[in-house]
Amino acid sequence: MTDKDPGEKGLMRLNQVNKAVAPLKFTVDGKTCEAYPGDTISVALYAVGQRAWRQSRQDEARGLLCGMGICFDCLVTVDGKQNLRACQTLIKEGMQVETTAKVSGKE
Amino acid sequence: MSRDVEIAVVGAGPGGLSAALAAARLGAQVTVLDAYPEPGGQYYHQPPEWQREQATRRQKHGWELWQHTLSAGVEILSERLVWNINAQQQLSLTGPDGIEQLHAEALILATGAYERPAVFPGWTLPGVITAGAAQTLLYHRVRPGRRVLIAGTGPLQLVTAAHLIKAGIDVVGVLEGSNVVGKSLEHTVRNAGAIWGQWERLGEGTGSLIQLLRHGSVYRTGWGIIAAHGRDQVEGATIARLDADWRPIPGTEQKVACDTICVGYGLVPFNGLAKLAGAEQEWRADLGGETPKRDPWFQTTIRGIFAVGDGAGIGGYHMAMLEGRTAGCAAARQLGHEIEKAAFEIRALQPALRKEAAFQRLYADLFTPGPGIFELAQADTPICRCEGVTQGQLDDTIRAGAGNVTEVKNLTRCGMGECQGRMCGQHVTQTLARMTGKTVELIGGYSARPPLFSLPIGNFISSE
């Protein structure tokens, strides 16, 4: 239902998604996106084709690395709360995710 | 909020659940603290609820173990991240309601392991992920990328490749750092006894390999990644043939076009809690690095604190379960539950433990990375992802006289960031060993400091 064309840029959801499951809506930097119950923010960001979502202290792009909550490289701001691990935070309906915020000690 | 429990188990993977179940069956009151929303750990990582029908045999097995543990009366508290511990078995953790304190009469640490990423130019680029992260994305029916290169060592790389291929993703190659084909023949002859009875487990890797070759993917042993390229994301990689020490052989470099690189050079035990509690550690390259010293019942050097599974030395899920059961019985016995029965059960586990240890040695011989993977960074490669410390800064600091991990940490801030040194730790230890001529055993890992995980300061303010 989400993967109309496997080659289409940006759509990374595989088409085996159970059609009976209703997607959730959340926003990434104000843009509305869809995810599925049980998705973490990192899964949901990958699903919409976004893989870089944080600037390091040296202003390099960062995203997912370990996927299990130990590297802290995938930090995002969620509903105003800073420095949450995208790979450990479950998407909820209406959640507002902010990326590329210059978090972690950057003035 | 503080509470007392009889036995606390930290981690709800195969080792933790087995320990909890064994202790509860002997009549102990057991509470399991787990950082994730659902029990299972990484090995039994469950698919999202709407995907449960597609659960693998492994995931179903994990779910059954979880249910058995619950029916034995064990309390499982999910989303509890333990970030401090002391020798008196006092734990500090954050949960859904903020900070909690917990005291246990006996503690079983089953904190698992994490994948060792090699530090190479470009390793911080988005699109470089661990094999485990790739698997998690697939459980949620999301592609990690479109053209994936896999580099590392061990069967997990092969299994990941097979899962990617099954999802219709182009796996451009799997690079196994170990020259495993030559080694396997040698080992089959030398360790026939260890492999005997392990067909099922070897089969998972072999089945994956067959699928990989059928799909037309490249599988190379004795090859590795030496750099990732791209501006803001991975666009390609440079790979090379490796010598017996896993050092790239000049002149063998090749460029590969890919948008994703899955790396995993084996596993590193997460020994942070045992170390923070003050339990003595030793460097065991064959077990993945720094591990707590343990007695035959998997008790650390602190009475009442046990450590089991990959977090106490890489041994795989089967070993973790056997260690967990042993420690669960030993902890219950120590607290006076069913002393005879506990001793009997511990004895009964010994033959299986011995057999597993033989397999563990075989695995370590085949898949322990050589020193070459710690020498790939260039002067401008960030080695501390959090603080942005480069290899050049590290080298300069060591040349200027820093001789141990603490001096390096204090002078460069390397390892002081959000990951608390989990990503750069072994690289720093190995670099120090190489440049100072000291052994890794002597240098050891970073000291453990609370909090073991970065916590929002608001947690501390609201807790009192």
Side-chain angles (χ1 to χ4, degrees):
Chain A
M1 112 176 91
T2 48
D3 200 352
K4 289 161 201 128
D5 167 18
E8 194 181 322
K9 201 172 178 294
L11 288 176
M12 301 297 276
R13 186 75 69 172
L14 292 158
N15 52 12
Q16 292 101 318
V17 167
N18 182 344
K19 291 184 170 55
V21 183
L24 302 171
K25 286 201 162 45
F26 71 105
T27 65
V28 186
D29 300 324
K31 195 179 80 192
T32 303
C33 299
E34 280 187 358
Y36 287 87
D39 283 355
T40 59
I41 293 172
S42 57
V43 165
L45 289 174
Y46 260 67
V48 298
Q50 183 166 355
R51 306 201 305 174
W53 60 76
R54 189 177 77 94
Q55 302 299 118
S56 73
R57 286 182 177 72
Q58 282 64 41
D59 256 343
E60 303 160 328
R62 296 285 173 84
L64 182 68
L65 173 67
C66 76
M68 57 180 282
I70 61 136
C71 79
F72 287 73
D73 226 352
C74 65
L75 302 176
V76 287
T77 300
V78 180
D79 296 334
K81 258 177 106 175
Q82 286 191 348
N83 294 333
L84 292 184
R85 292 167 293 173
C87 75
Q88 295 299 305
T89 310
L90 292 174
I91 289 276
K92 294 202 177 78
E93 179 70 36
M95 195 177 244
Q96 295 179 5
V97 179
E98 289 163 63
T99 72
T100 62
K102 307 221 164 164
V103 292
S104 304
K106 190 106 188 175
E107 286 97 69
Chain B
M1 171 182 140
S2 181
R3 52 182 290 215
D4 290 293
V5 300
E6 191 178 23
I7 296 178
V9 177
V10 184
L17 290 179
S18 302
L21 183 57
R25 280 186 175 160
L26 293 170
Q29 293 291 319
V30 188
T31 297
V32 179
L33 307 164
D34 189 58
Y36 298 101
E38 280 187 349
Q42 298 305 311
Y43 186 76
Y44 288 139
H45 190 108
Q46 296 293 312
E49 229 167 284
W50 52 269
Q51 277 287 113
R52 287 283 148 91
E53 278 167 36
Q54 262 80 55
T56 62
R57 217 167 61 178
R58 180 200 290 192
Q59 288 167 329
K60 283 180 189 146
H61 184 225
W63 196 82
E64 281 164 19
L65 180 60
W66 167 17
Q67 299 309 313
H68 286 155
T69 311
L70 285 176
S71 1
V74 172
E75 175 188 37
I76 302 182
L77 302 175
S78 293
E79 294 179 88
R80 266 35 174 226
L81 186 62
V82 181
W83 50 266
N84 199 7
I85 183 176
N86 63 24
Q88 287 74 48
Q89 278 110 268
Q90 204 102 37
L91 300 174
S92 304
L93 45 128
T94 27
D97 307 318
I99 289 182
E100 298 165 41
Q101 311 284 340
L102 188 137
H103 174 266
E105 287 170 56
L107 253 178
I108 301 171
L109 307 175
T111 45
Y114 45 87
E115 282 169 276
R116 179 188 294 117
V119 178
F120 50 83
W123 78 299
T124 53
L125 280 172
V128 177
I129 58 174
T130 63
Q135 297 246 31
T136 301
L137 288 166
L138 289 176
Y139 291 146
H140 290 263
R141 313 312 304 158
V142 171
R143 299 166 212 275
R146 295 181 189 285
R147 285 175 62 80
V148 182
L149 174 71
I150 299 181
T153 189
L156 179 62
Q157 308 299 309
L158 278 176
V159 174
T160 305
H163 286 174
L164 288 164
I165 289 168
K166 203 170 152 216
I169 296 160
D170 193 6
V171 175
V172 296
V174 179
L175 309 179
E176 165 58 60
S178 173
N179 192 358
V180 74
V181 178
K183 280 190 173 182
S184 301
L185 286 173
E186 190 187 315
H187 278 281
T188 314
V189 179
R190 269 204 296 137
N191 298 309
I195 297 170
W196 195 253
Q198 306 292 347
W199 303 119
E200 193 195 355
R201 264 181 288 171
L202 292 175
E204 196 178 3
T206 316
S208 303
L209 180 58
I210 291 166
Q211 201 175 351
L212 190 72
L213 297 175
R214 193 180 292 151
H215 180 75
S217 293
V218 181
Y219 177 64
R220 291 178 179 176
T221 64
W223 278 75
I225 184 166
I226 59 172
H229 311 290
R231 253 176 59 83
D232 286 324
Q233 282 195 54
V234 171
E235 289 160 20
T238 303
I239 63 172
R241 182 179 276 285
L242 306 179
D243 68 15
D245 287 326
W246 301 46
R247 293 191 171 97
I249 299 170
T252 63
E253 297 88 353
Q254 292 178 6
K255 288 256 159 90
V256 177
C258 56
D259 63 15
T260 305
I261 301 169
C262 293
V263 285
Y265 281 86
L267 300 172
V268 178
F270 180 53
N271 67 330
L273 281 173
K275 192 167 188 180
L276 190 55
E280 267 180 58
Q281 308 289 312
E282 60 183 340
W283 192 279
R284 290 282 303 271
D286 58 331
L287 299 182
E290 200 175 49
T291 57
K293 288 185 182 171
R294 298 178 298 166
D295 69 13
W297 301 275
F298 308 111
Q299 184 171 235
T300 65
T301 54
I302 300 172
R303 187 181 152 79
I305 301 186
F306 298 77
V308 299
D310 282 349
I314 307 307
Y317 85 100
H318 204 233
M319 183 64 126
M321 292 175 88
L322 292 167
E323 289 186 0
R325 285 165 67 188
T326 308
C329 292
R333 186 172 186 269
Q334 205 171 65
L335 299 172
H337 295 283
E338 303 268 7
I339 291 175
E340 296 291 313
K341 200 175 162 203
F344 175 80
E345 283 184 19
I346 291 169
R347 268 197 306 279
L349 288 163
Q350 297 311 304
L353 275 166
R354 276 195 297 276
K355 194 168 128 189
E356 208 54 37
F359 189 71
Q360 186 179 33
R361 280 194 295 277
L362 170 72
Y363 186 89
D365 280 351
L366 288 175
F367 301 118
T368 301
I373 66 149
F374 302 106
E375 301 166 10
L376 297 170
Q378 303 292 314
D380 61 350
T381 307
I383 49 163
C384 173
R385 303 173 70 97
C386 309
E387 298 289 334
V389 181
T390 62
Q391 182 73 44
Q393 286 170 285
L394 174 63
D395 292 348
D396 288 346
T397 309
I398 299 170
R399 266 187 227 110
N404 61 51
V405 284
T406 306
E407 285 169 7
V408 165
K409 195 171 172 177
N410 290 342
L411 290 165
T412 62
R413 294 193 58 80
C414 197
M416 281 191 186
E418 293 84 354
C419 90
Q420 290 291 291
R422 284 183 285 270
M423 293 295 106
C424 66
Q426 288 211 343
H427 186 84
V428 169
T429 297
Q430 297 280 351
T431 304
L432 266 162
R434 177 164 49 81
M435 291 183 65
T436 61
K438 292 179 195 163
T439 61
V440 285
E441 289 80 2
L442 190 68
I443 286 169
Y446 286 132
S447 54
R449 292 273 177 270
L452 285 176
F453 296 92
S454 307
L455 302 169
I457 197 85
N459 266 331
F460 293 92
I461 296 163
S462 58
S463 73
E464 290 304 313

